[in-house]
Amino acid sequence: MILNLFKSKPKLKELIPPGSIDIHSHILPGIDDGPKNITESLKLINEIKKIGFQQIIGTPHTYSGLYENTNDTIKTSFEHLKTKIDKDITVSYASEYLLDISLIERAKRGKLLTIKDNYILVEINFISLPINFKEMIFELKKLGYIPILAHPERYLFLLRNLSLIEEIKNMGCYLQLNLLSVTGYYGDDVCAFSDKLLKNSLIDFIGSDIHNIHQVNCFNKKIKIKEVNKLEKIIDNNKLFNKS
């Protein structure tokens, strides 16, 4: 028992079993703050594959006023890339949508890009929960979508408000943890909050949220959380999004 207290924590990449699915990444070229071109995209995909991911879903930002992506711009970026991707890895595309009124209007006009079926990845600003958050989640659900909130552990205004996290889940919103959060990549507060969310069984899925090679290399860092077993189970939850 005493020996276990001093047992070294595993590296993050050691928790990723072969065949894993990454539902949140920024690997498509020239479309947001991810790779600038196809060469960078291919290098990034190859390195992600080495970690153990067999399926990668590219989710470029759709962010009104900053990344004005559309279904067509995202599909075009993917089409330019896909013929050069190795056959031993599956790459597909969706989007990480900023949750605001413009997204609701977009959803009413036409189909949004989903992770799989009707699951949609959304993010919010890092300052505060939108005043009309509940109404927007309700509208998305009414339109047939199931929202997944990206990286809740990184919204610092939620750090000491576990009840608000629970309220968000009760609205029918799933939560996706960034894997690098458990290494301290985004800071100790984010890492500790990740552990708390895992302990309270509030996380549903994981994603890499990888934008660049530096972040891939950080998978060589040791994890800092205690809830390793729960994290491993959640990594397995991503099988829901299997497209093979």
Side-chain angles (χ1 to χ4, degrees):
M1 186 67 164
I2 295 177
L3 291 176
N4 287 338
L5 294 176
F6 299 97
K7 184 178 179 181
S8 178
K9 293 281 181 68
K11 294 179 179 178
L12 178 57
K13 69 178 183 180
E14 294 171 353
L15 299 182
I16 312 299
S20 292
I21 301 169
D22 184 3
I23 68 168
H24 181 180
S25 70
H26 297 265
I27 56 169
L28 300 187
I31 201 165
D32 65 354
D33 52 348
K36 295 181 179 64
N37 51 53
I38 290 177
T39 300
E40 288 186 9
S41 286
L42 292 173
K43 183 176 181 182
L44 196 54
I45 290 167
N46 188 55
E47 293 303 313
I48 294 173
K49 181 173 65 175
K50 289 178 183 177
I51 294 172
F53 290 106
Q54 185 62 41
Q55 297 184 45
I56 308 171
I57 304 173
T59 52
H61 296 285
T62 297
Y63 195 124
S64 182
L66 184 58
Y67 300 110
E68 298 281 3
N69 280 314
T70 65
N71 290 13
D72 287 340
T73 62
I74 293 172
K75 181 180 179 181
T76 297
S77 176
F78 173 76
E79 293 291 338
H80 288 161
L81 176 67
K82 75 173 185 179
T83 58
K84 297 177 173 60
I85 298 171
D86 290 340
K87 302 298 183 184
D88 60 348
I89 189 164
T90 300
V91 177
S92 57
Y93 65 93
S95 184
E96 180 185 12
Y97 292 100
L98 179 70
L99 184 60
D100 61 9
I101 292 301
S102 67
L103 174 61
I104 305 304
E105 293 171 351
R106 185 192 298 252
K108 289 178 178 178
R109 290 195 303 267
K111 184 85 168 81
L112 299 177
L113 297 177
T114 58
I115 301 296
K116 185 182 179 182
D117 299 330
N118 51 350
Y119 288 89
I120 182 175
L121 187 67
V122 299
E123 62 178 330
I124 55 178
N125 70 70
F126 284 88
I127 299 173
S128 63
L129 196 70
I131 295 173
N132 53 348
F133 179 86
K134 185 174 183 178
E135 289 77 11
M136 290 190 291
I137 292 296
F138 175 79
E139 285 295 327
L140 285 175
K141 291 180 66 182
K142 189 169 73 171
L143 291 166
Y145 294 104
I146 301 174
I148 302 173
L149 180 62
H151 44 65
E153 76 283 1
R154 294 182 59 199
Y155 302 118
L156 298 183
F157 63 89
L158 292 175
L159 275 179
R160 292 171 181 83
N161 200 342
L162 206 62
S163 62
L164 182 53
I165 289 278
E166 291 169 344
E167 185 179 343
I168 290 170
K169 282 188 68 71
N170 288 336
M171 293 176 195
C173 194
Y174 289 92
L175 303 182
Q176 173 257 304
L177 180 81
N178 276 10
L179 283 168
L180 289 179
S181 293
V182 305
T183 69
Y185 177 82
Y186 302 104
D188 291 339
D189 284 346
V190 171
C191 185
F193 191 38
S194 301
D195 214 13
K196 189 174 184 178
L197 292 173
L198 288 165
K199 182 178 181 180
N200 286 276
S201 301
L202 293 170
I203 297 297
D204 302 289
F205 308 113
I206 57 87
S208 72
D209 200 4
I210 281 176
H211 291 66
N212 53 58
I213 292 296
H214 169 68
Q215 290 175 329
V216 177
N217 292 337
C218 287
F219 273 72
N220 288 305
K221 290 185 175 183
K222 292 184 178 181
I223 65 170
K224 294 183 177 181
I225 62 168
K226 298 176 182 178
E227 301 293 334
V228 182
N229 290 339
K230 286 195 174 183
L231 177 61
E232 288 178 314
K233 289 178 181 177
I234 291 163
I235 292 172
D236 193 59
N237 284 354
N238 276 33
K239 288 179 179 177
L240 174 67
F241 304 99
N242 189 345
K243 295 188 178 185
S244 61

